Amino acid sequence: SDYAWADDGLHVKVYLSVPGVRREAVQCEFRDDAVDFAAEGLPDGTRRVLALRRLYDHIHPPGCSCKVLESKGKVVLALAKPPRSTTFDAVKDWRTLTLACGAERIDVADPFASHQQKSFDGMMAGLPPLPAKSAARPH
C-alpha cells in the first residue's frame, strides 16, 4: 500500500509515499469531514490523488497540516481533532480512518485506490446478507 494512518492523540496522521514529490506541486484541502490531497508533475509523469470522505469523526481544519518531506518522497497529513472544551475532556480514539463504503472519489490512475478496494473487500467478506425489507410497521 502507498499510505498508512495512525491515531496520534490530538491528531490523526496519514502517511503517504509519493516518490519525487515537490512541495510546490502539492495541494491539500481539509474540510470538517473530508480531506483532498493531490501531487502534480511527478517524475513518472503521473498525478497522485487521495480523497478521503466521511472521516471517522469531525476534524478541525485550521489545526490540520500537510508536511512534504521531499528528500524521503513522503507526505504527512496531520488531521487535527476538534478542540476539547476543557483539558479533562477525553480525546476520541479513531478506530478507522473513514466510514465510507467505497464511495470515495479517487483518480483512475490513483495507486492508493487498489489498497482501499482491497480493504473494503476484506472488511465486507464474511458478513451476513442484509435482511429483506418487510412491510411498513404501524407506529
Side-chain angles (χ1 to χ4, degrees):
S1 68
D2 292 301
Y3 77 95
W5 71 276
D7 187 323
D8 193 27
L10 297 176
H11 290 83
V12 173
K13 294 192 176 174
V14 180
Y15 303 93
L16 305 169
S17 176
V18 188
V21 67
R22 293 182 339 248
R23 203 168 276 110
E24 64 275 3
V26 167
Q27 297 174 357
C28 288
E29 183 182 351
F30 301 101
R31 292 187 304 281
D32 185 52
D33 66 346
V35 176
D36 286 309
F37 165 83
E40 306 279 346
L42 298 172
D44 60 2
T46 62
R47 172 180 191 255
R48 302 283 173 94
V49 172
L50 179 66
L52 300 173
R53 300 290 179 264
R54 295 188 62 212
L55 296 172
Y56 181 73
D57 196 9
H58 295 282
I59 60 173
H60 183 64
C64 297
S65 66
C66 177
K67 184 175 183 178
V68 178
L69 307 169
E70 289 183 7
S71 63
K72 296 182 178 184
K74 307 242 182 247
V75 176
V76 180
L77 306 177
L79 314 181
K81 293 180 182 179
R84 298 177 295 166
S85 303
T86 69
T87 55
F88 300 108
D89 287 345
V91 176
K92 185 174 185 177
D93 290 330
W94 285 33
R95 294 191 174 115
T96 183
L97 188 55
T98 68
L99 298 173
C101 295
E104 298 92 350
R105 181 194 47 101
I106 298 178
D107 247 345
V108 174
D110 177 17
F112 307 125
S114 62
H115 170 71
Q116 287 182 333
Q117 186 58 47
K118 286 178 193 169
S119 297
F120 176 71
D121 291 344
M123 180 178 65
M124 299 305 288
L127 290 178
L130 292 172
K133 271 190 174 176
S134 61
R137 290 183 275 168
H139 294 280

